[in-house]
Amino acid sequence: MLQIKNLTITHKKDLRVILKDFQFVLNPGDKAVMIGEEGNGKSTLLKWIYDPEMIEDYAEAQGERICTGERLGYLPQELPPAEKEKTVYEYFSQNDIFWEQSPKELAQLAAQLRLPGDFFYGNQKMKTLSGGEKVKAQMAAIVMAQPTVLLLDEPSNDIDIETLEWLERFIKESACPVLFISHDETLIERTANVVIHIEQLKRKTESHYTIAKKGYCQYLAERMNRLENQEQQAYNERREEKKRQEKFRKIQQKVEHEQNAVSRQDPHGGQLLKKKMKAVKSLERRYEREAEEMTEIPETEDAIFFKIGENVKMPAGKTVLEYSLDELWTPENENGESHLLARNIFLRIRGGEKVCIVGQNGAGKTTLLKKMAQEMLRRTDIRAVYMPQNYEELLDLDQNPVEYLSMTGDKAETTKIRTYLGSLKYTADEMNHPIRELSGGQKAKVLLLKMSLSDADVLILDEPTRNFSPLSGPVIRAMLQGYQGAILSISHDRKYMEEVCTVIYRLTSEGLEKEN
């Protein structure tokens, strides 16, 4: 059993309370998902549960963590820098448990994760693996260690659809309890039986959390129904209050008028009016008490509101891309080695099409997308922008979001940028934080806002939804679905493919194959 008692976490830099008086017990059989908007402290909480020292650089925590006798298996959102420099073999062989695995067991694990049989002995550096291969490698190391509690931060990021389906089975069938963070709505819907919803209300000045022991879809439906009922009741009570106040004002005005008009020669009438005024004051106090007890209008942390390409119009027949490549090779490694990924690649995209490329991890999707992006970014007849899988390829981590987005630096532009960032749930403090201190989702928002400000008519997106909360996911998909330009993307997000993409291609060793 894993238990958290009275946990409060405070951000050191701006003294913002990320989590207050958090209480939670992870019981056997629980598959608990943490949801909430970007920057709400989900990853910070998971790190603290695994090892409180992991957050000491930027946050203070007070509370009790009880996990006596448990072996915690932790998947971080990002592979630590020191681990990236190790070869795959060095990464696995540093743990004694690796040497206890038989060749047969390693082969079975590799097969489950759709990895080559000799993967664990590879001399390729971890940093050169594809995003999905990094996740698979870390999951393999966790499985070998046989933990009794699993803590997974974005396990669905970057892994291919086949491995996503394996991950779903793994979480559902796991003998040990699982606490995980994910932005993949399909994965959450199919696996979670407990929902932990972390919110930051009142402009991120008040922390709030909800724990519901039910599936995600049921939680959302009941939450929406409860909020709608509470809101309706609150507005009904305020309408009745307005009627009461109007009635009260009329009574009060009448009594005051009679009081002013009473003759000094009529002391009896004056006494009656004093009693009337006393009754009016009593009625006023009663109405005030009732007003204090009225149902509150519910406050929630709404999903982000965002638009992109409002002024973009692209002719349906315009050729956005006509790309041919005889052979696709991996980038050369430190030894100058490269290997063939695919051959006979051809892709044509016309105006308004929303193309998605899928395929197994390591198939070369990101390598191919970068090549096509280079060609489109050079063109002058289209305005293309590129969102890489690794945001740090474009972001200056030492700048704050306002500095990064600013082109002129003048006051009017800065005000406009701050307004946009506010609509994306940034606080004034977060707008001034270096980008390196932001969460993955907050970094993604900066890049999306950059795209919006550019008025681009072609979006090149590598895993565009990977770091957005399940609550923001529908907003992002609707935004991209309504975009009037062309989109070329890579994704393993099943809802994104279903709702946004008009054409899906699978990258294989023999090129791009159109899927039905």
Side-chain angles (χ1 to χ4, degrees), residues 341-366:
L341 291 166
R343 64 179 81 245
N344 303 322
I345 292 172
F346 177 77
L347 179 63
R348 179 186 289 116
I349 303 175
R350 299 197 184 278
E353 284 190 320
K354 297 177 175 65
V355 175
C356 182
I357 298 175
V358 301
Q360 292 185 14
N361 292 129
K365 301 184 296 297
T366 292

Side-chain angles (χ1 to χ4, degrees), residues 289-341:
R289 287 195 301 272
E290 289 177 357
E292 289 173 359
E293 295 170 0
M294 281 194 299
T295 303
E296 290 187 7
I297 296 173
E299 182 176 354
T300 62
E301 185 182 40
D302 297 325
I304 62 170
F305 175 75
F306 196 76
K307 290 184 179 180
I308 191 166
E310 289 184 275
N311 302 318
V312 170
K313 297 291 181 185
M314 176 176 279
K318 181 178 178 65
T319 299
V320 176
L321 178 69
E322 192 163 289
Y323 185 83
S324 297
L325 186 66
D326 292 336
E327 293 181 335
L328 177 66
W329 291 76
T330 60
E332 289 187 356
N333 60 22
E334 294 173 351
N335 301 320
E337 300 169 338
S338 180
H339 67 269
L340 183 66
L341 291 166

Side-chain angles (χ1 to χ4, degrees), residues 5 16 27 70-71 76 178 218 247 253 284 286 295 297 309 322-323 350 366 369 388 392 407 424 443 457 501 508 512:
K5 289 185 176 181
R16 178 167 62 91
N27 291 304
E70 301 287 2
R71 295 190 307 277
V178 183
Q218 183 183 354
K247 182 179 178 181
Q253 288 169 0
E284 182 180 29
R286 188 173 66 121
T295 303
I297 296 173
E322 192 163 289
Y323 185 83
R350 299 197 184 278
T366 292
L369 192 72
E392 296 179 11
M407 298 294 290
L424 294 175
K443 291 174 184 174
D457 52 15
C501 303
T508 72
L512 290 168

